[in-house]
Amino acid sequence: MSLKHAVLALLEAEEGSGYDLLKRFQARLGYFWNASHQQIYQQLKKMHAEQLIEFEVESQTDKPDRKVYSITETGHEELLKWMSQPVKPNKVNDALLVKLYAGELVSPEQLQAEIAHHRTRHQNTLNTFLAIEAEYLASPAAEQKTLQLPYLTLRRGILGEQSWLNWADEVEAALLKRTSAEATKR
Amino acid sequence: MSLKHAVLALLEAEEGSGYDLLKRFQARLGYFWNASHQQIYQQLKKMHAEQLIEFEVESQTDKPDRKVYSITETGHEELLKWMSQPVKPNKVNDALLVKLYAGELVSPEQLQAEIAHHRTRHQNTLNTFLAIEAEYLASPAAEQKTLQLPYLTLRRGILGEQSWLNWADEVEAALLKRTSAEATKR
DNA sequence: ACCCGATATGCAATAAATTGCATATAACCC
DNA sequence: GGGTTATATGCAATTTATTGCATATCGGGT
């Protein structure tokens, strides 16, 4: 999988500890890559064994020690190699849609509640993304240029979330009609 | 994971063999759930051990035998239980975006080629979805009503693919500018 | 004083997914 | 006749991801 390559990409930009990487995954790749701390620590261990990365232990007096990882020449080559090969399309697995698909088994109200819950999440995510975008657009032209590619990934997040919310509108409208149809039957 | 519940949802609607389920995943849940034949066969085996499903062997003279699975009462209950609990949000892992994020390492042309390749795939998927939608919209009102929820999942697919293509337009425009900027430098 | 959250890392066990291999028939095209 | 695709199923090994537990410090709130 390409958790390995996501880590290499992050370390290529800047060295960091496992915890740093976790935070960077959450803050910067949040929309398109999710990894737990377990996944990251295990992956780092494995990548170190493969000599793709190296680390130095940084003693800290106040907090626990941290291992600061950086990419090696081998790791850099591996990343370049990966970059030049076509990536395979994503596997999509969306449990919410499975639930909607089989939604006849429960009440429209229950489906509505579920959608509403996810809507809140998606709306919050979108708001976060829009705030980051506003910051980017307010930055100097030179910085915008260097961050253009990460910005484009952010755009994917924004368009994706907006699309999700538009879909939720459709679903909620359809479920509302179902609810009233059911009420009429009684 | 809820591959289990996706299988239960499919068997709830109609019994079928492993191969049938594979085809149904591809044809009907294609946008939102992907499973390999290995995953399905292994899952069926496990679910049979858990007594969520049962099967009858159907001998066929011309083709290999098939095991026709159907949902049990226990399986039905398990599905209902799952339906009534909130599903957790999806984990997104999009390798293409990782590549774009680290895109400074390769030429804009290479990124363009990669995007173009994915664009073709997404456009084809969208066309397929639109054809299914046209069929749905041409069906009698009664059928539209019974298939409304699956139709809403299809809508997710359509809106999602359209959103992806809109994003690809943005990316391609941005990459084109990069290419010409690079050409000017020389 | 005590609990909680953030920082910081990791082991061990289990569960899930992928990859590679394996078999067998029928239909269709070249 | 030979190759490919579709039907139909499965084992075994490996890789990945998840879950549960464990440790340790600091700062802030109650």
Side-chain angles (χ1 to χ4, degrees), chain A:
Chain A
M1 287 300 94
S2 37
L3 169 59
K4 187 198 281 187
H5 302 104
V7 169
L8 286 175
L10 284 178
L11 289 179
E12 174 78 28
E14 199 181 345
E15 58 171 35
S17 68
Y19 197 77
D20 287 341
L21 289 170
L22 175 66
K23 292 294 141 185
R24 283 207 254 162
F25 268 110
Q26 288 168 357
R28 303 227 264 274
L29 314 196
Y31 175 65
F32 58 94
W33 204 276
N34 293 279
S36 67
H37 89 273
Q38 287 303 346
Q39 256 180 296
I40 292 171
Y41 284 118
Q42 283 177 44
Q43 191 63 44
L44 286 171
K45 197 177 164 186
K46 202 185 293 179
M47 289 167 72
H48 183 250
E50 293 173 55
Q51 313 199 310
L52 300 173
I53 55 176
E54 54 195 8
F55 66 87
E56 277 181 48
V57 178
E58 202 176 84
S59 302
Q60 300 190 130
T61 46
D62 48 341
K63 288 174 196 169
D65 289 356
R66 44 205 307 275
K67 288 186 188 171
V68 179
Y69 288 92
S70 53
I71 193 166
T72 62
E73 186 51 34
T74 314
H76 182 74
E77 277 161 28
E78 171 62 31
L79 180 58
L80 280 183
K81 191 180 139 199
W82 179 75
M83 291 289 291
S84 68
Q85 289 170 326
V87 295
K88 42 181 165 177
N90 260 11
K91 208 180 142 169
V92 179
N93 290 83
D94 190 331
L96 178 62
L97 291 181
V98 172
K99 203 172 193 177
L100 188 61
Y101 187 88
E104 300 285 353
L105 294 169
V106 297
S107 69
E109 284 85 356
Q110 222 175 310
L111 294 177
Q112 279 168 347
E114 180 89 44
I115 296 283
H117 176 241
H118 286 264
R119 171 189 284 282
T120 309
R121 284 185 47 82
H122 284 278
Q123 185 66 58
N124 288 341
T125 307
L126 176 58
N127 292 344
T128 307
F129 289 163
L130 289 176
I132 299 173
E133 181 177 43
E135 217 177 294
Y136 171 82
L137 293 174
S139 71
E143 203 185 319
Q144 286 193 26
K145 211 177 162 185
T146 57
L147 290 179
Q148 190 184 27
L149 296 178
Y151 172 61
L152 288 173
T153 68
L154 176 66
R155 285 295 298 165
R156 179 73 201 97
I158 291 171
L159 293 176
E161 293 300 337
Q162 285 171 342
S163 164
W164 195 95
L165 291 167
N166 288 337
W167 173 74
D169 289 342
E170 284 188 17
V171 175
E172 282 174 352
L175 291 179
L176 256 183
K177 277 192 204 163
R178 288 190 153 232
T179 314
S180 56
E182 228 181 42
T184 314
K185 260 193 286 179
R186 290 189 209 117

Side-chain angles (χ1 to χ4, degrees), chain B residues 17 19 37-38 41 45 63 66-67 88 91:
Chain B
S17 67
Y19 197 77
H37 89 274
Q38 288 302 346
Y41 285 117
K45 196 177 165 186
K63 288 174 198 172
R66 46 206 306 275
K67 288 186 189 172
K88 44 181 164 177
K91 206 180 143 169

